[in-house]
Amino acid sequence: MLMIISAWLSVFFTTLLAPPKYLWTLTTSQGFFIAFFSMSWIFLQDFSFSNSLFFIDKISGPLAILTCWLFPLTLLASQSKMYLEPINRQRTYIINSTFLQLTTLLAFVSSDLMLFFIFFEASLVPTMIIITRWGAQERRLEAGTYLAFYTMLGAVPLMIWLIKFYSTHGSLLPALTHILSVTQASTSYPGLFWATYNAAFLVKLPIYCLHLWLPKAHVEAPIAGSMILAGTLLKLGGYGILRTSTLLQENFLNQTLFIMLIAILGILATALLCLRQTDLKSLIAMSSVSHMNLVVAAALISSPWSYSGAMAMMIAHGLTSSALFCLANTTYERTNSRTMILLRGALLIFPLAGAWWLTIVLFNLALPPSINFAGEVLIMISLFNWSPLAFLLVALNLIFTTAYTLYVLWSTQRGSLPTHIKTLFPFQIREHLLLFLHILPGFLLILKPELIF
């Protein structure tokens, strides 16, 4: 673990000292080295690896590997735009991205409450810098303000709970896995207590009604910001909910019925909202909210199957959503527009990119036998065991997801080419490699899905 962290820190020195000509090559190569080295954590998941500061088990392992895997991919995706900037800005951008991914990784593998909370909140700073400094649109400062206020206000109840925890036990250092042996949520309002200490995670995830910052942040962010937001930062919320689920009392689901109803409403409402989006990135962001509300519903049911489904859903969504943002970015770089009506007919010019669109969108649709499908099936079975009516309501999401998937494909790929598009430069090998490396783990997990259950 310490070797991986020291390898991450070496990226900072490489970024500062590398010659301008080899800057992106060296940092991306280091990123891939860290990603391949982190694969060894797959074999550590059968037993918990831990020392005084960090630990890896079945929950943190897959998410930590996903974080390491997406880091070099964000560098690959950013090169074409960033290469045109002054060298000092390029170095600052890479250092920001590295710091953001490092804080996310440390949050996933922190062994105690205090470290987890520090790294969980620390990830906000580089995210804001990337969105407000390198965002392409004029409303990026507004997006940064939304992000800061939502996440900081959500963190206040969690901080109050941590202070109460500290005043009761004199320490914030129990291992996250053993919180239950230290304290029990003995309260007459367990549902309210759950919503209070999970407010920070529900905002980060985000649950419906607290999600307005996400489409803004995605639309204004550069490609690396969108990839990290969709791939790993949203998963911090899901990870926090799964980690603190040991504090739940038996049969407490009736107490949190209101939150379950919001989650089910969010699954359906955001899928329907996707059908009226005109901005491609905004549509992908709304689709993320829909998938993450499924994770909230699974965490509330709190059965072994629902936890496995939530875990599979988070990993699958991290890869698929990041790949969709990469595809949206490749289109944006060529047309300088994300309005879908102006992007139609892309299949005529880029047939191979059309194949990537189809593959990744089908993964997002949870087509069997993808890992997305395995996650959804496990969550659906858990929902059916809890309430057949809730299962029938959430099953409508399958129809809505299919509808907006066809809408995306029809709007961007089919139809006649718009007259304003005269010449578009062809897809580069770098972009094909980027999309292939997003899809490859998804295909490998089809063969061995138990790695993330």
Side-chain angles (χ1 to χ4, degrees), residues 112-416:
D112 62 61
L113 272 172
M114 186 171 67
L115 269 180
F116 172 70
F117 183 72
I118 289 168
F119 289 126
F120 179 80
E121 290 304 318
S123 63
L124 174 65
V125 179
T127 311
M128 274 194 65
I129 293 171
I130 284 176
I131 290 173
T132 53
R133 170 60 191 83
W134 282 280
Q137 312 297 313
E138 69 272 10
R139 300 181 73 179
R140 59 185 185 273
L141 291 175
E142 185 186 332
T145 311
Y146 262 64
L147 170 67
F149 272 91
Y150 268 87
T151 49
M152 286 170 69
L153 285 174
V156 170
L158 178 62
M159 201 160 67
I160 292 169
W161 179 67
L162 290 178
I163 293 166
K164 173 75 167 65
F165 190 96
Y166 180 80
S167 64
T168 310
H169 301 286
S171 172
L172 271 179
L173 302 176
L176 279 167
T177 44
H178 302 118
I179 293 176
L180 187 60
S181 61
V182 179
T183 181
Q184 272 285 358
S186 53
T187 171
S188 49
Y189 301 103
L192 184 62
F193 174 71
W194 188 90
T196 304
Y197 74 75
N198 275 305
F201 307 136
L202 292 173
V203 169
K204 198 84 165 181
L205 202 62
I207 194 170
Y208 188 66
C209 302
L210 298 174
H211 71 288
L212 293 177
W213 64 271
L214 186 69
K216 274 187 179 298
H218 272 309
V219 166
E220 306 299 326
I223 178 59
S226 289
M227 286 171 68
I228 297 168
L229 258 177
T232 52
L233 284 180
L234 301 191
K235 310 304 172 287
L236 270 176
Y239 174 74
I241 290 174
L242 292 180
R243 265 288 169 237
T244 55
S245 60
T246 50
L247 290 171
L248 306 182
Q249 293 177 330
E250 289 295 319
N251 305 318
F252 97 118
L253 193 49
N254 293 332
Q255 305 288 331
T256 52
L257 202 55
F258 178 65
I259 298 166
M260 178 61 106
L261 290 173
I262 291 176
I264 291 173
L265 174 68
I267 293 166
L268 302 175
T270 47
L272 279 172
L273 280 170
C274 286
L275 285 167
R276 63 183 299 273
Q277 299 299 317
T278 55
D279 188 303
L280 188 53
K281 274 181 104 171
S282 186
L283 187 146
I284 301 166
M286 281 296 181
S287 139
S288 294
V289 178
S290 180
H291 285 101
M292 289 298 100
N293 276 269
L294 260 176
V295 173
V296 175
L300 284 169
I301 293 170
S302 61
S303 69
W305 278 41
S306 72
Y307 284 154
S308 291
M311 201 66 217
M313 175 65 75
M314 285 198 289
I315 299 295
H317 176 266
L319 294 165
T320 309
S321 188
S322 178
L324 281 170
F325 279 115
C326 286
L327 277 170
N329 184 62
T330 56
T331 311
Y332 178 67
E333 285 179 355
R334 285 162 175 78
T335 61
N336 287 318
S337 173
R338 290 191 308 266
T339 307
M340 288 195 283
I341 195 70
L342 301 177
L343 308 177
R344 67 183 189 276
L347 192 64
L348 294 170
I349 321 174
F350 305 123
L352 192 52
W356 285 122
W357 268 106
L358 182 64
T359 308
I360 293 165
V361 152
L362 288 178
F363 265 89
N364 194 55
L365 180 63
L367 191 80
S370 66
I371 196 67
N372 309 54
F373 172 74
E376 281 202 17
V377 161
L378 286 167
I379 294 173
M380 289 293 194
I381 291 170
S382 307
L383 268 170
F384 183 78
N385 287 336
W386 173 64
S387 161
L389 179 61
F391 165 78
L392 287 173
L393 282 172
V394 176
L396 289 172
N397 181 50
L398 302 175
I399 299 167
F400 301 153
T401 307
T402 309
Y404 75 70
T405 299
L406 291 172
Y407 169 55
V408 168
L409 281 174
W410 201 260
S411 301
T412 59
Q413 302 301 305
R414 307 292 295 175
S416 57

Side-chain angles (χ1 to χ4, degrees), residues 31-74:
F32 278 115
F33 170 75
I34 293 168
F36 287 121
F37 195 77
S38 71
M39 297 294 174
S40 61
W41 292 338
I42 291 174
F43 307 107
L44 288 173
Q45 291 177 48
D46 292 333
F47 58 92
S48 179
F49 152 77
S50 66
N51 58 27
S52 57
L53 293 175
F54 309 110
F55 79 108
I56 286 176
D57 63 356
K58 277 285 190 185
I59 300 178
S60 58
L63 291 166
I65 294 167
L66 177 69
T67 307
C68 292
W69 183 249
L70 285 180
F71 170 63
L73 300 189
T74 57

